[in-house]
Amino acid sequence: MFTKLRCLRVLDLRGLEMKYVPPSVEKLKHLRYLDLSENPSIKTLPDSITKLQNLQILKLVECMALEQLPKDMRRLVNLRCLDLRYCFWLTHMPRGIGQLSSLERLSRFVVAKDNTVCSGLGELQGLNNLRGELKIVNLRYVKNGTSEFKAANLKEKQHLQILELVWNEDGDDSEGANDVENDEMGLEALRPHQNLKELSLEFYRGVKFPSWISSLTNLMSICFCSCKSIKRFPPFDQLLSLKSLCISGLTNLEYIDTDGGSSSFFPSLTQLYLTNCPNLKGWLTCMRNDGTADLLRFPCLSFLYIHNCPNLTSMPLVPSLERLHFRGSGGNPLEHIIKMIISASQSSSFSFSSSSSSFPISQFKYLSIYEVEDLEFLPELLFNLASLQSLTIQNCQKITTLSRDENDKGMQWQGLQNLRSLYLWFNRNLVSLPKGLQYATTLHRLDIGVCPNLMSLPEWMDNLTELQFLWIRGCPQLSAKCEKNVGEDWPKVAHIPNISINGKVIQRSL
């Protein structure tokens, strides 16, 4: 086929389950664009591909079995884009790749385990036209100290927008696991240009961050992943453009510092991810000159994700929060976060109690609670979230019902004045819906999935006059009782316009 298509300029072969590229590809002398992406069985490319002197774009995205590139890649003198995203098995870069002076996009650079026979970071030195994203992996294999790290010359790559630095992509710490000093010196030498927008550090083994991070005033996103030696986080709240901050897998981290006070505390941050930080207690309080604590608040934070941070008990206020995803961190941190949501609209001296009336929190609308092992009932403060529109409870195995209804018949549910959606998934010990739910009269949708011990629905279901959708799946006995016209519970739900049982729509509004 290739011999008959000698004038071909563009060839797209992505997703064809190819196992190899035929050497005859060299016949396509005029080829400018070659896409081999999403062919996960390709392990190597033929050396003949380097004869395509006119090739400008070579895409190998998700060629996950690809182990190496042709050794004479430097012959592709017109190559502008080499896209290697998700080529996880690539072991090294060929020598001379740094001679591709036209290269503008190189999404992945792999440091070889033995760089005496393969290229090192020095290949990046002259590639100053690189733009977009650059991910450098296996930095743990750099043995020549500061000199080779400096040779990458990242500070001259002014068009680079996204930089990911990964010391140990496979998670194996068997080699150089204690080389803290080498990592710290190396990261200091990898100073990027101040135009950088996004920075990610993964498996970094140093105990401190480089001095240059605070000078990256254009940063919009930072992610620190599995930097396990970090115990204390430097203050990044002065990065005025920062919109997203991710702190994940910092297992020894205890505190996050601040130096700006409430007036300049993360002024642009809209998304915050805190995951797998089991020792994290939270933010250190900033003290005023008179000795009183400065009440910190995220002025623009709208999305907060917390996963497995069981000791988190010190959070700034979140007056603009719209969504909270809380997963596997324990009931106490959950209560603390809800308290911070409520106190955002109150003075710092407000005294909270579980019997407080609902507060007009205008921003907060979505709450998802996953895998909280010690959660038996929803926190009482949750019922003060008057603006809450969607509530998801998933895989909380101690929950048998959602709230303590015995004494007040669940009147606290009246506080959820705007609740429209309730999702109950994989709560295998849930045996009943709380009595108070009947007072959430704004409820529009109720989803119940894989709650096998929920045997029936309560008599008061017809009190939910606004309920438009009922979705049940993976609840054998409940499904049988809600069978249309014949099930024992059918009279309780017949008024609901749209009902789906185990994926089958049994009632639909016209």
Side-chain angles (χ1 to χ4, degrees), residues 335-507:
E335 290 191 33
H336 175 74
I337 300 300
I338 293 175
K339 187 174 181 178
M340 291 302 98
I341 295 170
I342 294 173
S343 39
S345 66
Q346 309 298 312
S347 68
S348 58
S349 61
F350 188 86
S351 176
F352 297 97
S353 71
S354 60
S355 60
S356 300
S357 60
S358 299
F359 304 119
I361 315 297
S362 60
Q363 301 291 329
F364 189 65
K365 296 179 176 66
Y366 306 94
L367 174 59
S368 300
I369 302 172
Y370 305 91
E371 300 170 9
V372 182
E373 293 182 356
D374 62 349
L375 188 68
E376 296 184 48
F377 302 100
L378 296 178
E380 290 297 310
L381 280 172
L382 184 148
F383 299 102
N384 295 323
L385 300 173
S387 62
L388 187 67
Q389 294 182 8
S390 176
L391 175 61
T392 299
I393 312 295
Q394 180 171 327
N395 209 7
C396 296
Q397 301 309 333
K398 281 197 173 183
I399 282 187
T400 56
T401 188
L402 299 180
S403 60
R404 295 181 174 91
D405 294 340
E406 293 80 7
N407 298 326
D408 57 7
K409 297 183 180 180
M411 298 298 291
Q412 70 270 41
W413 283 83
Q414 288 182 328
L416 300 180
Q417 300 168 9
N418 290 286
L419 187 66
R420 290 181 56 80
S421 302
L422 177 61
Y423 302 92
L424 304 173
W425 295 337
F426 298 98
N427 302 298
R428 299 181 186 277
N429 290 309
L430 182 69
V431 296
S432 65
L433 297 180
K435 295 177 183 177
L437 185 59
Q438 63 183 304
Y439 302 115
T441 53
T442 58
L443 196 66
H444 186 78
R445 180 184 181 110
L446 175 61
D447 282 22
I448 305 171
V450 194
C451 300
N453 286 306
L454 185 60
M455 306 296 184
S456 63
L457 294 175
E459 298 290 340
W460 45 256
M461 285 294 294
D462 56 358
N463 289 351
L464 300 175
T465 54
E466 295 296 318
L467 194 61
Q468 299 293 307
F469 297 90
L470 175 63
W471 186 95
I472 299 172
R473 193 181 189 100
C475 308
Q477 297 197 47
L478 182 60
S479 297
K481 288 186 177 181
C482 291
E483 188 175 349
K484 188 170 185 177
N485 296 325
V486 296
E488 182 181 336
D489 283 1
W490 176 250
K492 303 175 185 177
V493 300
H495 67 286
I496 302 172
N498 302 280
I499 303 175
S500 173
I501 308 291
N502 294 325
K504 182 181 178 182
V505 177
I506 64 171
Q507 182 156 287

Side-chain angles (χ1 to χ4, degrees), residues 68-69 71 74 91-96 110-120 123 144 148:
Q68 61 184 31
L69 297 169
K71 61 181 180 180
R74 63 182 180 275
T91 59
H92 63 278
M93 308 304 288
R95 281 191 181 279
V110 183
V111 177
K113 188 171 185 178
D114 181 5
N115 58 17
T116 61
V117 296
C118 303
S119 64
E123 295 283 355
N144 298 330
E148 185 171 350

Side-chain angles (χ1 to χ4, degrees), residues 106 109 120-128 130 134 136 151-152 157:
L106 177 63
F109 188 96
L121 286 175
E123 295 283 355
L124 291 169
Q125 186 166 23
L127 299 178
N128 292 333
L130 290 181
L134 173 62
I136 306 176
K157 296 171 177 39

Side-chain angles (χ1 to χ4, degrees), residues 23-301:
S24 57
V25 70
E26 66 179 294
K27 303 291 186 182
L28 305 176
K29 298 293 186 182
H30 299 286
L31 199 65
R32 264 71 165 174
Y33 179 104
L34 177 59
D35 191 348
L36 297 167
S37 300
E38 300 171 26
N39 287 294
S41 297
I42 294 178
K43 292 185 177 181
T44 60
L45 299 178
D47 289 334
S48 62
I49 204 171
T50 62
K51 295 181 180 180
L52 301 177
Q53 302 275 312
N54 293 306
L55 191 65
Q56 296 179 15
I57 297 174
L58 177 57
K59 302 185 102 177
L60 298 163
V61 181
E62 291 187 31
C63 291
M64 290 179 280
L66 186 67
E67 296 175 356
Q68 61 184 31
L69 297 169
K71 61 181 180 180
D72 290 327
M73 286 289 289
R74 63 182 180 275
R75 295 172 62 183
L76 297 174
V77 293
N78 289 302
L79 197 65
R80 292 190 292 112
C81 172
L82 178 57
D83 197 343
L84 300 168
R85 285 174 295 162
Y86 310 112
C87 293
F88 298 121
W89 286 99
L90 196 62
T91 59
H92 63 278
M93 308 304 288
R95 281 191 181 279
I97 198 169
Q99 297 175 29
L100 299 177
S101 57
S102 298
L103 204 59
E104 295 180 354
R105 294 190 180 272
L106 177 63
S107 54
R108 187 179 185 87
F109 188 96
V110 183
V111 177
K113 188 171 185 178
D114 181 5
N115 58 17
T116 61
V117 296
C118 303
S119 64
L121 286 175
E123 295 283 355
L124 291 169
Q125 186 166 23
L127 299 178
N128 292 333
N129 290 321
L130 290 181
R131 57 198 68 228
E133 173 187 356
L134 173 62
K135 183 173 186 176
I136 306 176
V137 303
N138 292 338
L139 285 165
R140 61 172 172 160
Y141 292 144
V142 178
K143 302 299 183 185
N144 298 330
T146 305
S147 60
E148 185 171 350
F149 285 109
K150 280 186 176 179
N153 199 26
L154 296 182
K155 66 180 184 297
E156 297 299 328
K157 296 171 177 39
Q158 59 180 314
H159 305 296
L160 210 58
Q161 299 287 296
I162 303 171
L163 179 62
E164 296 182 58
L165 301 175
V166 185
W167 273 256
N168 190 16
E169 193 167 48
D170 60 12
D172 179 12
D173 284 335
S174 59
E175 294 190 37
N178 297 316
D179 201 357
V180 172
E181 185 177 357
N182 188 61
D183 280 15
E184 290 180 349
M185 290 191 303
L187 183 54
E188 190 66 44
L190 287 171
R191 183 186 190 114
H193 194 277
Q194 63 179 12
N195 288 345
L196 198 69
K197 301 292 187 185
E198 299 182 23
L199 174 66
S200 176
L201 305 181
E202 299 179 32
F203 298 100
Y204 170 65
R205 297 166 297 185
V207 298
K208 61 181 181 180
F209 289 117
S211 60
W212 46 258
I213 288 187
S214 59
S215 69
L216 300 178
T217 54
N218 292 302
L219 272 182
M220 300 178 66
S221 174
I222 304 181
C223 183
F224 302 103
C225 180
S226 297
C227 304
K228 296 181 180 179
S229 297
I230 299 294
K231 291 186 177 180
R232 195 154 170 175
F233 217 70
F236 291 138
D237 42 293
Q238 297 302 297
L239 294 174
L240 304 184
S241 300
L242 195 66
K243 293 182 179 296
S244 176
L245 174 61
C246 175
I247 303 172
S248 176
L250 275 64
T251 52
N252 288 310
L253 179 65
E254 294 184 5
Y255 292 103
I256 300 173
D257 283 346
T258 180
D259 63 1
S262 59
S263 61
S264 56
F265 184 74
F266 290 104
S268 302
L269 194 71
T270 60
Q271 299 180 11
L272 175 60
Y273 302 82
L274 301 173
T275 70
N276 293 316
C277 298
N279 292 303
L280 178 62
K281 296 178 175 66
W283 268 260
L284 289 175
T285 303
C286 187
M287 303 302 292
R288 298 190 185 99
N289 293 332
D290 60 3
T292 60
D294 195 357
L295 194 62
L296 299 175
R297 63 180 63 222
F298 291 110
C300 297
L301 191 71

